[in-house]
Amino acid sequence: MLSDITWDMSGRGLSEQAFLVLTALAEQPLHGYAIVQAVESLSQGRTRLRVGTLYGVLDRLVADGLAERDREEVHQGRLRRYYRLTDAGVRALSAEVARLSAHVRAASAVLRAREAR
Amino acid sequence: MSAPMPDGTAADGVDPGGSSTGGSNLERRYRALLRVLPAWYRDGREEEMVEVFLADRVDELDHEHGWPGWGEAAATAALAVRVRLASGRPAGRVVRGVALAGLLGHVLLAAESVAFAVRFGPVRPSVFDLLLVVAFAALLAGRRGVARAAVGVVAVVAAALVVVSGPGAAGWWSLVTNTALVVTAAAVLLGFHREAPPVAAARWWWAAALGVVVSVVWAAVTPTLVYFSAWLVTAAVVAVFRPWRAPGCPRR
């Protein structure tokens, strides 16, 4: 069962941070710092995850079965743990993309109608 | 030795190059900050978190004189609270049990007040009563934002009442009754975060219905109000369910 925190307060979709982390992991397994960089890039610099925030999101995604541990490497004497998307994570991300796309289409239609008046 | 994380991970096999005892001043300061996290969590995550934190802090002067920063400190503190109060953690079960039991106690006191006023005198409407009933119902209905807003108002007003009541008997009375409000509100705000498990609403609705009936009968036949309902109900719930031990606490 998915926990509430992975989803936004209304329960209608993924939280923005969870969405961005899942999107970052969709391309390939990433370690923590690479996730931070990918999220910053995906959000065009608007979202810079703190370490505490990153691991809060990762804990929840793992607990919900949307992401899982991939492998560990030691980089310059320090641990790098990689995470990857699960099949459930792919489905959740796809569902969220479809939901957001529907909202974008609806908003675009409203704006076009407004401009046509 | 590394303790396992909830997902089965562990930080075994790592040569912590900047080990937990070495590294720069910045690393030591960040490791000190991480001590707000539970030890079992640090065992599985500390090296990984340090690696991420230091990854883009490459300036030597920064390593000598830099600090983690307020934003990182706040995020780490928030993580510490979430980890401790997460679903399945004993502290989380206790806090959510105290929150619901405290709200239930105040709902019963509200019912007593109304019944007492109808039976013995004019009604004294209390904004606290209304807000706490709303908060209780909102929690059971899954509207946590509403519940948190309601108890937030209650906590602020109750704390202000304690401050302005001053010393003496009135002050002590205000402290005892309003402290129950503040404790209940704090438990709701801390325990019912976004990842808290859903509430076993049916069980609490039944408890409230039964309690309201008993409270109304009590207030109608005895000219007394049980001002310590919140304390009594909370103590009873905690004593009966012992949420720190069993996952069967009335929380889901």
Side-chain angles (χ1 to χ4, degrees):
Chain A
M1 180 178 162
L2 298 176
S3 69
D4 290 357
I5 194 164
T6 305
W7 305 84
D8 68 11
M9 291 294 282
S10 65
R12 287 174 298 189
L14 289 168
S15 69
E16 182 179 9
Q17 292 168 343
F19 176 76
L20 289 169
V21 171
L22 284 181
T23 304
L25 294 177
E27 189 174 352
Q28 61 178 327
L30 296 174
H31 57 80
Y33 183 60
I35 296 173
V36 172
Q37 290 180 304
V39 165
E40 190 167 13
S41 174
L42 285 166
S43 65
Q44 298 176 317
R46 288 191 300 273
T47 301
R48 168 78 179 174
L49 292 176
R50 312 275 187 193
V51 182
T53 306
L54 168 68
Y55 282 95
V57 173
L58 281 175
D59 287 344
R60 296 189 296 273
L61 292 176
V62 170
D64 287 344
L66 305 184
E68 62 187 4
R69 178 182 169 187
D70 184 75
R71 66 184 188 276
E72 291 178 0
E73 292 178 358
V74 177
H75 175 74
Q76 296 179 348
R78 298 187 189 282
L79 175 71
R80 277 189 168 174
R81 181 170 289 148
Y82 285 72
Y83 295 86
R84 64 171 175 256
L85 214 55
T86 63
D87 291 343
V90 172
R91 287 194 297 273
L93 185 59
S94 300
E96 182 67 2
V97 168
R99 189 185 72 86
L100 293 174
S101 298
H103 285 186
V104 168
R105 284 195 299 274
S108 299
V110 170
L111 288 173
R112 279 197 302 272
R114 177 188 171 89
E115 288 168 2
R117 283 204 301 263
Chain B
M1 190 173 91
S2 296
M5 297 296 292
D7 60 356
T9 61
D12 290 329
V14 178
D15 171 20
S19 71
S20 58
T21 55
S24 65
N25 287 337
L26 178 62
E27 179 178 338
R28 280 192 289 275
R29 288 162 183 153
Y30 185 63
R31 288 184 187 278
L33 171 63
L34 292 182
R35 295 187 70 81
V36 301
L37 295 163
W40 62 266
Y41 191 89
R42 288 202 314 274
D43 285 346
R45 284 272 192 265
E46 181 169 350
E47 300 307 325
E48 189 181 353
M49 295 179 75
V50 169
E51 195 277 333
V52 177
F53 175 73
L54 294 176
D56 63 353
R57 303 281 293 254
V58 294
D59 184 81
E60 285 189 14
L61 275 177
D62 187 29
H63 272 254
E64 182 67 21
H65 302 291
W67 288 79
W70 291 110
E72 193 61 64
T76 306
L79 177 63
V81 172
R82 283 200 301 270
V83 166
R84 286 191 168 87
L85 300 184
S87 173
R89 302 302 303 173
R93 291 199 296 268
V94 170
V95 170
R96 283 184 286 278
V98 167
L100 282 164
L103 285 177
L104 176 60
H106 284 103
V107 168
L108 302 190
L109 179 58
E112 280 181 49
S113 300
V114 172
F116 180 89
V118 170
R119 175 72 175 80
F120 297 106
V123 175
R124 287 183 58 201
S126 166
V127 67
F128 280 169
D129 292 343
L130 179 61
L131 285 173
L132 291 165
V133 170
V134 166
F136 184 72
L139 270 190
L140 299 193
R143 304 292 297 270
R144 293 180 183 176
V146 174
R148 290 164 63 88
V151 299
V153 172
V154 168
V156 170
V157 176
L161 287 175
V162 171
V163 171
V164 301
S165 59
W172 281 108
W173 179 253
S174 175
L175 181 65
V176 170
T177 54
N178 287 309
T179 297
L181 290 167
V182 173
V183 169
T184 299
V188 171
L189 293 171
L190 287 172
F192 286 95
H193 47 81
R194 293 172 68 187
E195 73 173 333
V199 177
R203 191 179 302 181
W204 287 97
W205 280 124
W206 277 110
L210 181 64
V212 164
V213 170
V214 172
S215 299
V216 167
V217 171
W218 171 273
V221 300
T222 65
T224 56
L225 286 175
V226 185
Y227 281 104
F228 303 104
S229 293
W231 293 119
L232 293 175
V233 172
T234 302
V237 167
V238 170
V240 170
F241 292 101
R242 287 179 285 182
W244 59 90
R245 289 178 53 188
C249 172
R251 76 190 200 284
R252 59 169 62 238

